[in-house]
Amino acid sequence: MTDTSLPDVWQTIDRLAARFEDHSTLPREQRILLQLLKIQEEAGEVAEAVIGATGQNPRKGYSHTWEDVESEICDVIVTGMVALRRMNPEAPDVFARHMSRIADQDLTEPLPHQGRE
């Protein structure tokens, strides 16, 4: 079985956010906007990996694996967490509250009937 224990995720996110903040000389609003755009860039890399894993680009063929897709999805998640942290120093609490709402609402309500019997 694989060890799935994680280091303190938010500690790592804090370090990444601080590193990016230290690197940029742009005004705060622009730094946040660019970080938000970075989420879209990473999502595009997921799409590219899926296309490559399915061999749907005639020029490149099978250029990626499903493991590549998983890695790109992780990059989207991390980038989103960094964006939330750069926007709000209370990001762990904001995220925890959001996850609680998801658990309370989305996981307790039945799914709508989808026409299957």
Side-chain angles (χ1 to χ4, degrees):
M1 177 169 252
T2 303
D3 180 12
T4 58
S5 62
L6 290 172
D8 184 339
V9 172
W10 282 107
Q11 184 179 48
T12 301
I13 296 301
D14 284 346
R15 290 176 58 212
L16 284 168
R19 181 177 183 175
F20 298 147
E21 287 295 314
D22 291 345
H23 176 74
S24 181
T25 58
L26 295 173
R28 182 177 190 277
E29 184 176 282
Q30 287 180 336
R31 292 191 311 265
I32 290 171
L33 289 173
L34 289 170
Q35 183 67 44
L36 295 172
L37 290 174
K38 184 70 175 165
I39 297 169
Q40 183 62 42
E41 178 187 10
E42 294 295 345
E45 292 177 15
V46 172
E48 180 181 6
V50 169
I51 290 167
T54 57
Q56 295 306 300
N57 183 333
R59 287 185 306 107
K60 296 181 181 180
Y62 288 90
S63 59
H64 292 75
T65 66
W66 287 105
E67 289 80 18
D68 294 329
V69 175
E70 292 170 355
S71 178
E72 296 299 345
I73 291 169
C74 289
D75 286 347
V76 171
I77 293 166
V78 170
T79 302
M81 292 176 78
V82 169
L84 181 61
R85 176 60 183 85
R86 291 179 82 182
M87 290 178 68
N88 187 333
E90 302 301 320
D93 294 333
V94 170
F95 189 73
R97 285 191 304 272
H98 189 78
M99 290 302 296
S100 290
R101 281 193 299 276
I102 289 172
D104 291 345
Q105 295 170 4
D106 295 343
L107 296 178
T108 58
E109 296 175 8
L111 292 175
H113 180 65
Q114 298 184 6
R116 290 189 228 154
E117 307 231 0

